[in-house]
Amino acid sequence: MKLKEEFYQRKNVVKIAKELLGKGLFTKIDGIVTGGIIVETEAYSWKERGCHAFGAKKTQRNAIMFDKGGHVYVYLCYGMHHLFNVVTNTPDIPEAVLIRALEPIAGAEEMLLRRGKAGHKFHLTSGPGKLTKALGIDRTFTGKFLTDNEIWIEDLNRKISSRNILATPRIGIDYAGEDAKLLWRFTIKDNQWVSG
DNA sequence: GCAATGATTTACT
DNA sequence: GTAAATCATTGCC
């Protein structure tokens, strides 16, 4: 069952990031469904430097984060990798959850094709740039809504007990200073698909 | 208008 | 372990 937009519009982005673990992310492109279980997330808020919308500063790129929760925010990093985010909270409060890794459960063959056949099994979707390529997500997905039929998140009725959730510092944001130390990265303990 | 740089991945030494 | 690939966005001139 798809998550309703109310799920994304609550005010605690860190809580939402934790609750997204164990949920299923899917895309449907040219009639082909691909997707998997979310096993790694990160929370981003305008209150800290790691976020593109730090200080609630609105630019052309991050404008979608100022819209209501449930929108998709995809952006290109290092000129070659698309990173997939879920916008949360209410309008004018820019916060988002970055989806960093999936455990594939649908369309594995199609995902292998998109990624190129090289590579180890556990490298198919174990990283933010990899999973967007596997699911066929690119910058044009920005602004889509997660109750659409093109991309959505489902509640798979998998319960992740809190002792199986690991909280660690976020990755790749050393420039954020003290904010880089926040324990806002959440992973499912002992899951093979979590990124290194 | 132009230069600097990053929420990364991959290949090579 | 280290480095290259590669470009949209940003901030400053």
Side-chain angles (χ1 to χ4, degrees), chain A residues 101-171:
Chain A
L102 298 178
E103 177 180 336
I105 54 172
E109 280 187 23
E110 177 67 17
M111 293 196 280
L112 269 173
L113 276 179
R114 289 178 188 154
R115 294 266 295 123
K117 295 200 170 160
H120 188 277
K121 178 185 173 190
F122 288 119
H123 292 175
L124 185 59
T125 53
S126 60
K130 301 183 205 173
L131 75 89
T132 53
K133 190 169 183 191
L135 298 201
I137 295 171
D138 63 31
R139 208 152 45 78
T140 65
F141 277 66
T142 294
K144 292 191 192 303
F145 208 70
L146 286 169
T147 52
D148 286 350
N149 289 321
E150 205 165 357
I151 181 164
W152 68 93
I153 295 177
E154 282 187 34
D155 190 340
L156 300 173
N157 262 339
R158 284 174 184 248
K159 249 193 165 168
I160 312 293
S161 75
S162 57
R163 68 173 177 280
N164 284 325
I165 296 179
L166 237 48
T168 62
R170 290 172 295 173
I171 292 179

Side-chain angles (χ1 to χ4, degrees), chain A residues 31-173:
Chain A
I32 302 171
V33 174
T34 53
I37 303 165
I38 298 170
V39 297
E40 180 175 353
T41 63
E42 283 182 9
Y44 286 89
S45 164
W46 61 276
K47 296 175 200 166
E48 44 83 22
R49 276 207 83 78
C51 184
H52 290 156
F54 172 61
K57 190 171 159 53
K58 196 171 186 174
T59 65
Q60 194 175 5
R61 177 174 64 166
N62 66 27
I64 193 64
M65 291 176 79
F66 289 77
D67 213 320
K68 62 181 179 180
H71 279 98
V72 174
Y73 172 41
V74 181
Y75 111 97
L76 186 66
C77 184
Y78 295 99
M80 28 173 50
H81 303 294
H82 299 279
L83 273 60
F84 171 75
N85 300 256
V86 176
V87 176
T88 69
N89 220 313
T90 45
D92 297 322
I93 304 180
E95 293 184 329
V97 177
L98 169 70
I99 308 298
R100 288 188 57 88
L102 298 178
E103 177 180 336
I105 54 172
E109 280 187 23
E110 177 67 17
M111 293 196 280
L112 269 173
L113 276 179
R114 289 178 188 154
R115 294 266 295 123
K117 295 200 170 160
H120 188 277
K121 178 185 173 190
F122 288 119
H123 292 175
L124 185 59
T125 53
S126 60
K130 301 183 205 173
L131 75 89
T132 53
K133 190 169 183 191
L135 298 201
I137 295 171
D138 63 31
R139 208 152 45 78
T140 65
F141 277 66
T142 294
K144 292 191 192 303
F145 208 70
L146 286 169
T147 52
D148 286 350
N149 289 321
E150 205 165 357
I151 181 164
W152 68 93
I153 295 177
E154 282 187 34
D155 190 340
L156 300 173
N157 262 339
R158 284 174 184 248
K159 249 193 165 168
I160 312 293
S161 75
S162 57
R163 68 173 177 280
N164 284 325
I165 296 179
L166 237 48
T168 62
R170 290 172 295 173
I171 292 179
I173 55 162

